[in-house]
Amino acid sequence: SCFIMASKSPPASSSSSSRCASNKRQRTTSFPTSPTPFDALPRSIATTCILSYVTRDEWFNLRLASRGCYEIVHGTTDVFHGQCPLCDESNRAFHGDVSHPIERTEESEALWTNALREDFYFESTTDETAKEMYESVHCPRDERYGPFLRTKNIFTASHAFASWKHWKRIDKRLNSGREPGSYVEPCQRLVGPYFLRAARLWTIIEQ
């Protein structure tokens, strides 16, 4: 099984803390100064009537068009809001910053919870299944040479995009030989709730 106990991950580099101050100054990025026509649309229309019908890649392309577009997609203009200090090895210096919750718009949360339903078969028919959408598993890069899904790495994301990003990382690790954009058979697709059930079972066994 992919879920096994493991030793602790290597500690962050000692130079991380010294870089933290300079990284804080880099938490904003230079968006194009001219607003786009998309910026003027009500967010509810942009997310439910337009973005819901295009690919995830087009979402990521749109967010670079302007600061307003980035906020439509993510509900914040903090470009480091999705960084994970455990999984994104090169960004561990941001640990102290990303741990603080950032408020996001309801439209952005709805956009990414819908992505979790479509991409990883989560459900939100009950309060329990709705909460499950925010559960995921850390996938540290420094554990890439061994089993990378471990019960100690289960966590609850603070926002829907963070959960989606972690499941997407797991999907890429499991299907590393797959051509980008290629069709994936339904039986080969990652089903998030199944992984979480297996993780809970292994947690009971380990205890």
Side-chain angles (χ1 to χ4, degrees):
S1 171
C2 292
F3 290 95
I4 65 172
M5 293 294 288
S7 57
K8 294 182 178 179
S9 302
S13 170
S14 59
S15 61
S16 294
S17 57
S18 64
R19 294 196 306 268
C20 191
S22 62
N23 285 335
K24 287 179 180 179
R25 294 192 294 270
Q26 300 172 10
R27 288 182 63 82
T28 57
T29 191
S30 297
F31 292 98
T33 55
S34 300
T36 68
F38 203 82
D39 295 13
L41 291 175
R43 289 177 180 173
S44 58
I45 293 178
T47 54
T48 60
C49 299
I50 299 178
L51 294 184
S52 296
Y53 296 95
V54 299
T55 66
R56 308 290 176 258
D57 287 341
E58 289 173 309
W59 292 8
F60 292 126
N61 289 334
L62 173 68
R63 69 180 184 175
L64 300 178
S66 69
R67 184 177 296 275
C69 287
Y70 192 97
E71 189 170 11
I72 287 173
V73 174
H74 291 297
T76 177
T77 56
D78 185 343
V79 297
F80 291 106
H81 72 104
Q83 296 288 1
C84 175
L86 180 60
C87 301
D88 299 321
E89 191 175 38
S90 61
N91 293 296
R92 282 179 174 165
F94 291 111
H95 187 282
D97 300 325
V98 300
S99 59
H100 297 293
I102 298 174
E103 290 189 8
R104 289 168 178 78
T105 62
E106 292 182 7
E107 295 84 358
S108 173
E109 280 297 288
L111 188 69
W112 288 104
T113 53
N114 186 57
L116 284 163
R117 284 190 290 267
E118 292 183 353
D119 297 348
F120 305 116
Y121 299 96
F122 281 93
E123 299 179 355
S124 56
T125 53
T126 65
D127 290 342
E128 184 177 352
T129 55
K131 291 179 180 178
E132 189 178 55
M133 298 178 73
Y134 290 85
E135 294 183 29
S136 190
V137 187
H138 286 299
C139 186
R141 292 183 180 276
D142 51 11
E143 295 178 5
R144 61 185 177 276
Y145 298 115
F148 61 93
L149 297 181
R150 312 184 180 202
T151 53
K152 71 183 182 70
N153 288 336
I154 301 170
F155 77 105
T156 300
S158 59
H159 53 93
F161 172 65
S163 179
W164 181 90
K165 184 177 180 180
H166 280 81
W167 286 112
K168 188 64 176 179
R169 180 180 286 113
I170 294 171
D171 183 46
K172 288 182 177 180
R173 288 281 296 275
L174 291 175
N175 299 283
S176 57
R178 188 172 65 200
E179 290 292 331
S182 61
Y183 176 75
V184 182
E185 295 289 342
C187 61
Q188 296 177 332
R189 295 178 184 176
L190 189 154
V191 181
Y194 289 178
F195 272 72
L196 292 175
R197 290 169 195 169
R200 296 188 190 102
L201 177 61
W202 275 105
T203 300
I204 295 173
I205 293 174
E206 291 167 352
Q207 293 174 348

